[in-house]
């Protein structure tokens, strides 16, 4: 008995039929969304607050490999990487616009899998999907998402506000997403040689989740508000800690001392790094895709975060002339080189 579900070609439905099918379950959650999908444009009403906008493009073969990335997880992650940018502005994401270019190898059911992940992320983070576009592609799948967020006037945080002596802080742990990717790449290479081999993934669920299904730190934006903290600068960690520190320093015209022993690494990250003979510090500094928040605060706010498990102080900002340096566990100071993750490699 054949239990496989029938696969529907996208041409059977046409563009508008596909849009109707993918968006039929959408229910608007935000008062700021006056009109969503179904007209020539969405209508938003933000009153006295400021709107922040970010967009991101994910391309098959460059940013993701469908040999080991489930479409549902891909849809979820595609939303998260955009929400993270809004969080890095100290803002709350409210709406997204999703555009997809898709080749004939994808069925309607495959697209539904992709959009189920998009919907899951929207539901979890209280975000409205308010429009987008679909088109054909000759080379696979490309996803473009634009996100709109809301922040009170005067509360937005940019990369340019750090001052010498500010504390450099980070949320969560680092390097896990990169090590999860290395594990998936390794098992994919094994599969190419022997498709009958079972992937060796047991015991690494955390780093796999960090790579395949990351989360955006909206909770941190809320925590700042409750603690009465406004960071002096902030950025999300998409390209690796070293690159993001350099971005903050360049935009704020300051230097930095980063302390190696303060960088938080999960046990699975360290274990996988050891297994693959990779220095876990390299994974944290250069790996990327952790989507944690890197930010600076005034020393005056130290007492507000010193006992909070969500935050780790990993260094401090200096005068620009002192440069950007890594203080090793042994106490040496060496220039911190920005070698962030390049999605095109």
């Amino acid at each position: 008995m054949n239990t496989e579900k029938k696969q529907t070609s996208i041409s059977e439905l046409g563009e508008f039929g596909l849009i109707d099918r993918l968006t039929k379950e959408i229910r608007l959650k935000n008062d700021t969304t006056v009109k969503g999908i179904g007209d020539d444009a969405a209508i938003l009403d933000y009153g006295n607050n400021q709107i922040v906008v970010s967009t991101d493009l994910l391309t098959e073969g460059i940013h993701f490999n469908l040999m080991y990335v489930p479409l549902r997880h891909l849809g979820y992650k595609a939303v998260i990487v955009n929400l993270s940018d809004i969080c890095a502005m100290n803002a709350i994401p409210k709406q997204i616009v999703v555009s997809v270019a898709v080749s004939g190898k994808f069925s309607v059911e495959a697209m539904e899998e992709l959009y189920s992940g998009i919907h899951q992320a929207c539901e979890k983070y209280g975000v409205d999907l308010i429009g987008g576009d679909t088109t054909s592609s000759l080379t696979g799948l490309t996803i473009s998402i634009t996100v709109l967020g809301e922040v009170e006037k005067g509360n937005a945080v940019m990369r340019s506000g750090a001052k010498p002596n500010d504390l450099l802080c980070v949320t969560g742990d680092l390097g896990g997403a990169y090590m999860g990717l290395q594990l998936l790449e390794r098992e994919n290479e094994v599969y190419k040689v022997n498709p009958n081999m079972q992937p060796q993934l047991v015991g690494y669920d955390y780093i796999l989740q960090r790579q395949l299904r990351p989360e955006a730190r909206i909770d941190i934006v809320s925590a700042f508000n409750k603690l009465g903290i406004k960071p002096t600068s902030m950025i999300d960690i998409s390209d690796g800690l070293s690159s993001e520190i350099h971005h903050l320093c360049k935009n704020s015209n300051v230097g930095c001392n980063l302390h190696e022993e303060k960088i938080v690494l999960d046990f699975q990250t360290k274990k996988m790094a050891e297994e693959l003979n990779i220095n876990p510090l390299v994974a944290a500094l250069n790996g990327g895709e952790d989507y944690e928040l890197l930010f600076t605060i005034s020393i005056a706010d130290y007492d507000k975060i010193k006992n909070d498990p969500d935050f780790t102080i990993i260094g401090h900002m200096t005068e620009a002339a002192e440069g950007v340096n890594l203080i090793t566990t042994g106490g040496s100071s060496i220039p911190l080189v920005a070698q962030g993750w390049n999605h095109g490699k």
Side-chain angles (χ1 to χ4, degrees), residues 10 15 18 22 57-58 97-103 106 111 114-115 118 131-137 140-145:
I10 291 175
E15 179 184 1
L18 177 62
L22 295 177
L57 194 66
L58 299 177
V97 176
V98 178
S99 294
V100 177
V102 58
S103 71
F106 293 92
M111 294 303 294
L114 177 72
Y115 267 76
I118 292 172
D133 191 20
T134 58
T135 188
S136 299
S137 166
L141 176 65
T142 295
I143 308 166
S144 175
I145 296 183

Side-chain angles (χ1 to χ4, degrees), residues 36-261:
I37 292 172
D39 217 301
D40 286 316
I43 302 173
L44 311 177
D45 181 3
Y46 276 85
N48 294 322
N49 286 343
Q50 293 179 319
I51 302 172
V52 289
V53 182
S54 182
T55 192
D56 205 41
L57 194 66
L58 299 177
T59 301
E60 183 178 354
I62 301 296
H63 301 98
F64 57 88
N65 185 340
L66 291 177
M67 287 289 290
Y68 52 74
V69 177
L71 283 167
R72 184 185 298 253
H73 288 356
L74 176 61
Y76 191 91
K77 182 174 180 176
V79 176
I80 295 306
V81 301
N82 282 273
L83 303 190
S84 184
D85 284 331
I86 299 301
C87 294
M89 301 297 293
N90 202 34
I92 300 295
K94 293 292 185 179
Q95 289 91 7
I96 62 169
V97 176
V98 178
S99 294
V100 177
V102 58
S103 71
K105 73 178 181 180
F106 293 92
S107 65
V108 169
E109 286 74 17
M111 294 303 294
E112 286 182 318
E113 272 294 291
L114 177 72
Y115 267 76
S116 70
I118 292 172
H119 294 320
Q120 282 180 357
C122 287
E123 286 300 313
K124 178 165 184 176
Y125 289 91
V127 171
D128 293 331
L129 171 55
I130 60 168
D133 191 20
T134 58
T135 188
S136 299
S137 166
L138 297 177
T139 56
L141 176 65
T142 295
I143 308 166
S144 175
I145 296 183
T146 298
V147 58
L148 297 95
E150 180 182 17
V151 63
E152 289 184 16
K153 286 182 180 176
N155 277 355
V157 176
M158 291 170 278
R159 302 177 182 183
S160 54
K163 299 286 189 292
N165 298 318
D166 280 357
L167 302 176
L168 180 67
C169 310
V170 73
T171 62
D173 57 82
L174 303 176
Y178 179 73
M179 293 317 305
L181 177 63
Q182 299 312 301
L183 173 58
L184 289 167
E185 290 280 8
R186 182 189 72 178
E187 295 306 310
N188 188 45
E189 290 303 313
V190 171
Y191 174 81
K192 288 178 184 177
V193 175
N194 183 0
N196 295 317
M197 283 286 288
Q198 289 296 312
Q200 303 297 310
L201 304 176
V202 176
Y204 291 114
D205 53 321
Y206 177 70
I207 60 173
L208 289 171
Q209 177 261 323
R210 293 287 278 180
Q211 170 56 220
L212 294 173
R213 197 180 165 93
E215 302 293 351
R217 299 309 304 261
I218 291 180
D219 58 318
I220 298 299
V221 178
S222 300
F224 287 150
N225 187 46
K226 290 178 182 175
L227 293 169
I229 291 174
K230 181 185 173 185
T232 53
S233 69
M234 185 154 57
I235 193 171
D236 76 323
I237 301 178
S238 57
D239 295 324
L241 180 62
S242 61
S243 285
E244 313 304 0
I245 289 175
H246 273 273
H247 285 313
L248 290 185
C249 289
K250 179 181 178 181
N251 282 266
S252 295
N253 192 31
V254 293
C256 177
N257 283 339
L258 168 68
H259 291 268
E260 177 185 352
E261 76 273 7

